[in-house]
């Protein structure tokens, strides 16, 4: 990473067995997680060994979408063209593939984000109810959050958490994450039985995992 300034954050995890690297998409920070007895020097050595991976990741983050007039933002995988309408007083409204945003353009990014968050609950809620019905499962409730490191989670008491940003992902990707978390209501682990259940109701899970690995960081950077 010669000549490239990299922001680093250190984490020490009591159960970590090896040094790991993760890119935090919103701040373009490399998070280095160390096992209890590992030194920061060994963490830096591992960072330099994986310099090519870090540079590719930072390059991808540098080309994240902007929320501005004429740019696009995805909704369930389909791009919407943002159109500033400063003289209008209608908030944000959609016309086919156009997302109209009224008012001062200085507030356009926030208004687009508010629109997406508002779309997330009914859309993701409907997907959760539909897939739970297919699987014969009953989650206790749905929480939507703006998480950095996971797209979903499930608690032992049946609460499902999803990242609201999944509303920007294609429906089949949403379905995979939802099925994954619902499957934990029956198997609170990642056993063979768990993956058999996931594959039954999300047969395209490998494609969804690849999509999230390829595009997920971009969704996290949209702001």
């Amino acid at each position: 990473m010669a000549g490239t300034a990299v922001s680093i954050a250190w984490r020490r995890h009591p159960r970590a067995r090896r040094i790991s690297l993760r890119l935090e998409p919103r701040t373009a920070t490399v998070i280095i997680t160390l096992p209890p007895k590992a030194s920061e020097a060994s963490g830096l050595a591992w960072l330099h060994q994986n310099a090519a991976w870090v540079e590719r990741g930072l390059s991808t983050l540098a080309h994240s979408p902007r929320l501005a007039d004429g740019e696009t933002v995805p909704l369930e995988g389909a791009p919407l063209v943002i159109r500033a309408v400063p003289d209008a007083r209608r908030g944000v409204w959609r016309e086919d593939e156009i997302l109209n945003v009224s008012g001062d353009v200085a507030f356009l990014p926030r208004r687009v984000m508010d629109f997406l968050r508002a779309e997330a609950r009914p859309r993701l809620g409907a997907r959760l109810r539909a897939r739970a019905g297919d699987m014969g499962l009953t989650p206790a409730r749905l929480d939507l959050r703006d998480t950095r490191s996971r797209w979903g989670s499930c608690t032992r008491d049946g609460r499902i958490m999803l990242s609201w940003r999944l509303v920007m992902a294609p429906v089949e990707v949403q379905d995979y994450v939802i099925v994954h978390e619902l499957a934990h209501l029956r198997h609170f682990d990642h056993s063979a039985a768990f993956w058999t259940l996931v594959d039954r109701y999300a047969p395209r899970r490998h494609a969804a995992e690849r999509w999230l690995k390829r595009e997920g960081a971009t969704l996290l950077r949209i702001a």
Side-chain angles (χ1 to χ4, degrees), residues 80-107:
L80 298 178
V81 178
I82 299 170
R83 183 173 68 182
V85 193
D87 295 331
R89 293 292 180 269
R90 291 182 54 186
V92 180
W93 73 100
R94 181 179 174 184
E95 293 177 334
D96 298 323
E97 297 176 354
I98 303 296
L99 188 65
N100 298 286
V101 184
S102 66
D104 190 334
V105 294
F107 301 111

Side-chain angles (χ1 to χ4, degrees), residues 13 19 31 37 39 42 50 61 68 72 78 88 110 120-121 123 140-141 143 145 150 161 172 175 188 190 196 198 204:
H13 198 288
I19 299 171
I31 298 175
K37 296 182 179 180
S39 66
S42 60
N50 290 273
L61 294 181
T72 63
R110 177 177 60 80
R121 178 155 295 277
R123 290 174 183 267
R141 66 185 240 187
D143 292 327
R145 298 178 185 171
R150 57 175 60 186
M161 184 283 295
E172 57 267 26
D175 275 356
F188 204 72
H190 288 100
T196 296
V198 172
R204 291 180 51 80

Side-chain angles (χ1 to χ4, degrees), residues 50-160:
N50 290 273
W53 176 84
V54 172
E55 289 178 346
R56 286 196 301 271
L58 291 175
S59 176
T60 298
L61 294 181
H63 295 88
S64 298
R66 294 189 313 119
L67 297 181
D69 184 34
E71 301 289 343
T72 63
V73 66
L75 179 64
E76 295 192 334
L80 298 178
V81 178
I82 299 170
R83 183 173 68 182
V85 193
D87 295 331
R89 293 292 180 269
R90 291 182 54 186
V92 180
W93 73 100
R94 181 179 174 184
E95 293 177 334
D96 298 323
E97 297 176 354
I98 303 296
L99 188 65
N100 298 286
V101 184
S102 66
D104 190 334
V105 294
F107 301 111
L108 183 148
R110 177 177 60 80
R111 287 175 174 155
V112 173
M113 293 294 281
D114 288 346
F115 167 82
L116 292 171
R117 288 191 184 95
E119 290 290 309
R121 178 155 295 277
R123 290 174 183 267
L124 295 177
R127 300 305 303 173
L128 179 68
R129 290 190 296 274
R131 300 326 308 270
D134 294 341
M135 300 170 74
L137 297 169
T138 306
R141 66 185 240 187
L142 169 65
D143 292 327
L144 296 183
R145 298 178 185 171
D146 197 2
T147 53
R148 298 188 179 192
S149 60
R150 57 175 60 186
W151 295 103
S153 64
C154 176
T155 64
R156 288 189 178 274
D157 61 359
R159 288 183 293 122
I160 302 291

